[in-house]
Amino acid sequence: MSTASSSILGIDRSLSGRIWRWRGGNMDVGGGNAATLEHDLVTQLLLSRGVPPEDLERHRNPSLRAFLPDPSAFRDMDAAAERLAQAVLTGEQVTIYGDYDVDGATSAALLVRLLRDLGQPSRYYIPDRLLEGYGPSGEALVRLAEEGSSLIVTVDCGAMAYEALEMAHGAGVDVVVVDHHKCAAVLPRAMALVNPNRLDESDLGAAHGHLAAVGVAFLLAVALVRTLRAQDFFKGRAEPDLFSLLDLVALGTVADVAALHGLNRALVAQGLKVMARRENIGMAALIDASRLSRAPTCSDLGFALGPRINAGGRVGESTLGVRLLTTEDPDEAKMIAAQLSALNEERRAIEAAVQEAAEAQLAAQHNRAVICLAGRGWHPGVIGIVAGRIKEKTGKPTLVIALDEAGNGKGSGRSIAGVDLGAAIIAARAAGLLVAGGGHAMAAGLTIAPDQLDALADWLDERLGASVTAAMANQAVLLDLALAPRGLAPALVEAMETAGPFGMGWPGPRIAVGPLRLVKADLVGTDHVRLIVRGDDGSSFKAIAFRAATTDLGQALLHRSRDRRLWLAGRAKIDDWSSRPQAELHVEDAAWLD
């Protein structure tokens, strides 16, 4: 058996320049019957993702009963639940103040729906990305207080909102912060600040630092219902169905690219089941607008549903996502979902223009550990997506900064595994390089003055250079399975999917298939490479390498030699567009065999 440090299949340098290694043990299947492999295969997938042998059964079918912690383990959780319970019991006006992305929209919708079920209708406020920017605005909090709100709950924001929360305190309004972003040692003033990433968090709370804000909001919902139960609130009335809110938790968790292990994996697994029931009118309309004719998968949340909710905050009206996810009117839901789909198409066009302009600057960045790109007129609503695209292309942490007419910048960053960009941005703010900034390990946002752009780039290189170098040196294509072409079958794909849901921190199975010969390779769309390949065993299948046309991998495949054999590595999927479902491969890498 190959060791973890050595290459497999003799591939020390693939077409993308990486070594191939096993993620766990050697699972060379050959052409065996995939249907008989399910138990052993799933066990292997769980073990290679860090599950201890004695804990396999709990992870094989992740349930909330098995993974949900006591919410009281989190600092300020009981205080937050008590304050919300007081508002419910006395009929106070409550406003939920959410961020404009999917995590913020789902967090806000969750609390709005819960309070409505408790007989306590609440308001919500979602700031405008362009006019107000990220996080609570002091002016907005004061205005909400003046309009009668005695309690404001911020979701997916607030952990670093010192000035805004001071203004709210001065206006006499209580603020409960529900967040998951990195915190500084000194916290802003709030009635309660619930965040598993507080530096003073308990060990159990800190162990759940991978939660998205919507996951933290769900724990607050559990704590609130428990607090009201202890006060006999539910005598003569039904308790709200907290499980019915899990579709919101799943969508926000996946769209925010939170790590899908432990509690998050259980939340998403159960949330997908709730989503399949289509009980949330707005969610059902969103599924229909995404042209899904089946129950959504984890991938659909990230690539179909999430981007539509995000489009409202990026290039449209920031409240559309919460309106859709809280409406009880089917006609309104259908109208909003259609509007979000149209905005998503507009967002794609804007994103393409910004990405082209940003990539034109890459040549001057080749010596940078952290890619820092900035341009006037770039739409702030798409810079996070562009940063993610360029990060994938370069393999380096990337910041993309949109400059206004005065040269002031709003930036968004995406990082690579092993490099904590959020902590670096918080430190840069403390060093006086930023007007504002924060985030988590894999993503961050910032506001910067025009005269600090070069200083920030130099500072990030110095602070993160060593960790970026180490992370890139350890990059490898990690494989779970190697098989002959005839083994790529729908039964195998279905067996592997039972170890899901997959996402950040719980990667989907990556397989190697070969030896193969290229029968056909051409372009589809603007930059996808479509393949038909045939194995030595006579079987053939379709494959596609997304956004690969201009890469070394894509160029090698397009200008192939039919006489050379190769291995393909990627994710196995089921193509169910035809009457007879077929397995295909979404290619991530390839290597010549001879």
Side-chain angles (χ1 to χ4, degrees), residues 130-159:
L130 298 182
L131 299 178
E132 298 176 82
Y134 170 77
S137 154
E139 291 78 7
L141 295 179
V142 171
R143 185 168 65 253
L144 292 171
E146 292 172 346
E147 293 171 355
S149 291
S150 54
L151 174 61
I152 299 172
V153 183
T154 71
V155 288
D156 197 30
C157 58

Side-chain angles (χ1 to χ4, degrees), residues 202-505:
S202 68
D203 290 343
L204 178 57
H208 291 87
H210 62 297
L211 286 171
V214 70
V216 184
F218 181 76
L219 289 174
L220 176 58
V222 174
L224 171 59
V225 169
R226 184 174 63 184
T227 299
L228 289 170
R229 185 187 305 126
Q231 298 182 31
D232 294 330
F233 178 78
F234 297 111
K235 281 193 173 180
R237 64 185 300 166
E239 292 192 10
D241 179 10
L242 294 179
F243 270 71
S244 70
L245 302 173
L246 289 175
D247 56 347
L248 297 170
V249 181
L251 177 56
T253 298
V254 174
D256 212 52
V257 201
L260 294 191
H261 55 75
L263 176 57
N264 274 351
R265 185 162 166 261
L267 290 169
V268 172
Q270 301 307 316
L272 286 169
K273 295 177 183 178
V274 173
M275 197 174 293
R277 299 203 297 262
R278 296 172 60 92
E279 294 171 350
N280 183 321
I281 291 171
M283 191 74 78
L286 183 65
I287 294 168
D288 292 340
S290 301
R291 300 175 184 175
L292 294 175
S293 57
R294 47 165 173 73
T297 65
C298 197
S299 178
D300 295 325
L301 306 191
F303 293 102
L305 307 188
R308 285 171 165 78
I309 297 293
N310 254 336
R314 293 186 186 280
V315 298
E317 181 185 338
S318 60
T319 61
L320 287 174
V322 181
R323 282 176 56 198
L324 174 66
L325 297 173
T326 57
T327 186
E328 296 178 298
D329 182 341
D331 292 333
E332 182 185 28
K334 185 176 180 180
M335 178 191 68
I336 297 174
Q339 187 176 355
L340 286 171
S341 287
L343 287 170
N344 193 45
E345 291 303 315
E346 180 182 342
R347 185 269 306 168
R348 288 183 181 181
I350 295 171
E351 173 197 328
V354 173
Q355 183 164 344
E356 182 179 1
E359 288 189 356
Q361 300 180 16
L362 281 178
Q365 297 272 326
H366 67 279
N367 288 326
R368 290 284 189 192
V370 178
I371 303 295
C372 293
L373 310 170
R376 292 183 185 274
W378 293 358
H379 198 298
V382 301
I383 54 177
I385 302 174
V386 173
R389 298 268 194 236
I390 293 177
K391 181 261 293 188
E392 291 297 328
K393 182 172 185 176
T394 63
K396 295 180 178 181
T398 299
L399 285 172
V400 176
I401 302 171
L403 304 175
D404 62 21
E405 293 183 1
N408 297 301
K410 296 283 188 182
S412 187
R414 298 294 183 267
S415 194
I416 60 177
V419 180
D420 191 335
L421 186 60
I425 292 301
I426 291 173
R429 176 182 178 177
L433 293 167
L434 300 174
V435 176
H440 46 81
M442 299 300 289
L446 59 87
T447 303
I448 188 169
D451 59 350
Q452 295 286 5
L453 287 171
D454 290 340
L456 174 65
D458 292 341
W459 187 91
L460 287 172
D461 270 1
E462 182 177 351
R463 179 182 176 92
L464 296 178
S467 57
V468 171
T469 299
M472 294 185 69
N474 290 327
Q475 284 184 350
V477 176
L478 300 180
L479 296 169
D480 294 284
L481 188 68
L483 65 155
R486 78 164 69 92
L488 184 61
L492 176 73
V493 181
E494 292 168 358
M496 291 191 296
E497 286 299 317
T498 62
F502 300 107
M504 177 62 67

